[in-house]
Amino acid sequence: MDEATIKQYYRDYVIGCYSKEDFVFVRGRGPWLWDINGKKYLDFFPGWAVSGLGHCPDDVVKAIIRQVKTLMHVANNYYIDVQAVCAKKLIEISFDGKVFFCNSGAEANEAAIKLCRLYGSKTGRYKIISMKNSFHGRTLATVTMTGQEKYSAPFVPLPDGFAYAEFNSIDSLKSCVDEKTVAVIIEPVQGEGGINVADREYLVALRKFCDENDLLLVFDEVQTGMGRTGHWFAFQHYGVTPDIMTLAKTLGGGFPIGAMVAKRSIADLMVPGTHASTFGGNPLACSAALAVMNTIEKQNLLENVNTLSQWFIPELRKLQKKFSVIKEIRGIGFMLGMELNVSGKSFVERCRKNGLLLNCTHDTVVRIMPPLGIKKSLLKKGLKIISTSLKEEFAS
Ligand SMILES: *Cc1c(COP(=O)(O)O)cnc(C)c1O
């Protein structure tokens, strides 16, 4: 089908809730994407961080093919072998607890909200404090929990029981807590909110405050998780373990799957009848997630992120010295943001024209999130395009 027809079908038949870039991508491999005209792009924002291992990673493709021929789906009222193995593996790389499987980040956060409310029900507490500028999903509860009014305002009345604290401020958090508060949720590095990194002292103080006040601490690692920051999970940089963690995006390497990991005693509050998801953790999705975890291990991808980011971040800082339009370089590992003094929209478009795909969030923050296994030569190539595009766009 030709490009014009595809776009026509979109206009006629697909609900227009996404703003569209003018591209039809038809093939991907590793850090590369090809559009319908055969032009090749280096992808440093693969699938909104879903394709964290790059496009169509070999071992994930193989695992999916093997599983699709064996058993695609059985429901959760039966035991599923690959789900059992996948859960064990997730616990081994995170913290002692249990896993609930679902299909997306929002659904994982919904599960976390429900689990927090179950925990609070014995003491009549239900309120959850999230952070300003956070992002937790688009369902009615998660969009309410998202600390950005622009996303939830059109959908009033919103569910009750949410409040918003300033990121990185323990005082602000304390001022939000009352006798109804049961939990605090935070992204250790805010993604959509503009790559804002939590301070170590803050997260340590937050953990302590939650312990002292019987509040659950929830980390939304939907974007930071699965190696993005150079550890399996961002919490491992801080030595601060949450009570509940939510995952999605890279977890399935391109296949839809989400998960909530909860400490054992809390997890056991969920009993038959309290929560469910028809597709959650089906054999196909779990085979993909298991292959993602095995690939990260086998190919030493965490080490790759740590080594290459130690080269890449200083290189970006050098660009900051050269181009006064760059206000700040932020992030950990391969979760990076380049904040500009101006809107980043035309810069990101310029990069695209030059063959590099990036993302712009909060108008001025350019998100740079290369696939975990990228080679140094291609990282250099991406950097060169960033540098050239800065020159073209902001030449003084
Ligand atoms: C993307 C994202 C979500 C929502 O995930 P969906 O799969 O789109 O529902 C939630 N939290 C964070 C931090 C995210 O980046």
Side-chain angles (χ1 to χ4, degrees):
M1 197 162 36
D2 65 280
E3 195 167 345
T5 312
I6 294 168
K7 288 177 184 168
Q8 186 60 49
Y9 282 12
Y10 261 89
R11 278 193 293 276
D12 292 346
Y13 306 118
V14 182
I15 290 178
C17 60
Y18 302 94
S19 56
K20 292 272 185 211
E21 314 296 346
D22 198 21
F23 283 108
V24 183
F25 288 115
V26 292
R27 192 160 66 87
R29 178 134 191 101
W32 298 103
L33 271 181
W34 284 263
D35 73 11
I36 195 165
N37 304 308
K39 186 173 171 190
K40 187 164 119 171
Y41 296 83
L42 197 51
D43 193 359
F44 278 14
F45 195 66
W48 231 252
V50 166
S51 309
L53 306 192
H55 297 281
C56 304
D58 275 340
D59 286 353
V60 179
V61 170
K62 274 185 215 149
I64 289 174
I65 291 174
R66 204 181 319 122
Q67 189 63 49
V68 87
K69 289 179 178 168
T70 311
L71 183 64
M72 280 170 74
H73 181 85
V74 277
N76 278 308
N77 56 322
Y78 300 111
Y79 290 100
I80 300 171
D81 57 355
V82 60
Q83 187 185 113
V85 180
C86 191
K88 178 169 184 283
K89 183 81 193 163
L90 257 181
I91 293 307
E92 282 166 1
I93 62 172
S94 57
F95 53 85
D96 187 44
K98 291 184 179 181
V99 186
F100 172 81
F101 288 104
C102 51
N103 311 285
S104 69
E107 211 189 332
N109 284 330
E110 283 278 348
I113 294 167
K114 286 180 72 175
L115 183 52
C116 289
R117 288 197 174 184
L118 271 179
Y119 182 82
S121 62
K122 59 181 189 292
T123 47
R125 298 180 296 153
Y126 55 85
K127 200 168 115 181
I128 297 173
I129 298 168
S130 59
M131 301 299 138
K132 290 181 182 165
N133 271 331
S134 59
F135 185 83
H136 299 297
R138 300 288 200 153
T139 61
L140 203 51
T142 59
V143 85
T144 304
M145 192 159 75
T146 289
Q148 305 186 58
E149 228 186 280
K150 63 175 178 187
Y151 291 125
S152 57
F155 305 109
V156 292
L158 300 170
D160 210 358
F162 295 93
Y164 314 92
E166 295 288 344
F167 191 73
N168 267 337
S169 166
I170 203 81
D171 288 338
S172 168
L173 181 91
K174 284 177 184 171
S175 72
C176 291
V177 172
D178 60 24
E179 72 285 352
K180 296 295 179 198
T181 307
V182 69
V184 179
I185 184 166
I186 184 167
E187 301 154 82
V189 182
Q190 289 188 331
E192 206 276 338
I195 312 291
N196 306 312
V197 183
D199 298 332
R200 178 184 303 275
E201 312 78 69
Y202 168 71
L203 281 195
V204 170
L206 181 57
R207 177 72 271 182
K208 187 162 171 279
F209 181 77
C210 286
D211 287 341
E212 288 166 357
N213 293 279
D214 189 25
L215 304 176
L216 296 179
L217 180 57
V218 185
F219 280 2
D220 179 340
E221 294 236 23
V222 168
Q223 197 167 139
T224 51
M226 308 314 293
R228 179 49 53 195
T229 64
H231 273 304
W232 281 109
F233 307 104
F235 80 79
Q236 290 158 337
H237 282 281
Y238 293 88
V240 172
T241 307
D243 301 302
I244 298 172
M245 170 174 76
T246 54
L247 301 171
K249 296 217 163 95
T250 295
L251 179 59
F255 199 90
I257 180 170
M260 172 183 71
V261 182
K263 278 185 184 163
R264 209 161 279 279
S265 58
I266 302 160
D268 286 339
L269 292 171
M270 278 193 169
V271 296
T274 45
H275 197 46
S277 171
T278 299
F279 290 116
N282 95 351
L284 203 47
C286 284
S287 73
L290 196 55
V292 165
M293 291 186 271
N294 288 333
T295 302
I296 291 175
E297 237 164 35
K298 232 172 62 188
Q299 300 184 358
N300 288 319
L301 295 186
L302 301 180
E303 200 183 305
N304 194 60
V305 173
N306 288 318
T307 311
L308 290 186
S309 63
Q310 274 169 36
W311 170 80
F312 190 52
I313 296 171
E315 288 297 319
L316 290 172
R317 297 235 153 89
K318 283 185 202 163
L319 289 180
Q320 185 188 1
K321 289 218 174 75
K322 261 168 78 180
F323 297 94
S324 59
V325 72
I326 303 176
K327 191 171 160 194
E328 194 180 25
I329 305 291
R330 297 193 288 267
I332 315 180
F334 276 175
M335 184 156 181
L336 300 170
M338 180 168 84
E339 185 173 2
L340 305 179
N341 289 321
V342 298
S343 166
K345 201 164 172 281
S346 67
F347 169 71
V348 164
E349 269 162 30
R350 174 79 65 174
C351 286
R352 236 180 257 141
K353 281 197 194 99
N354 292 332
L356 177 70
L357 304 174
L358 297 172
N359 164 268
C360 183
T361 185
H362 268 238
D363 191 41
T364 56
V365 183
V366 178
R367 264 193 290 189
I368 309 170
M369 295 173 61
L372 309 184
I374 188 118
K375 294 203 165 51
K376 188 168 179 184
S377 58
L378 288 180
L379 203 54
K380 266 186 179 161
K381 191 180 171 73
L383 185 72
K384 183 92 183 75
I385 299 177
I386 291 171
S387 161
T388 307
S389 306
L390 279 166
K391 226 174 281 169
E392 290 173 3
E393 198 66 24
F394 305 110
S396 49

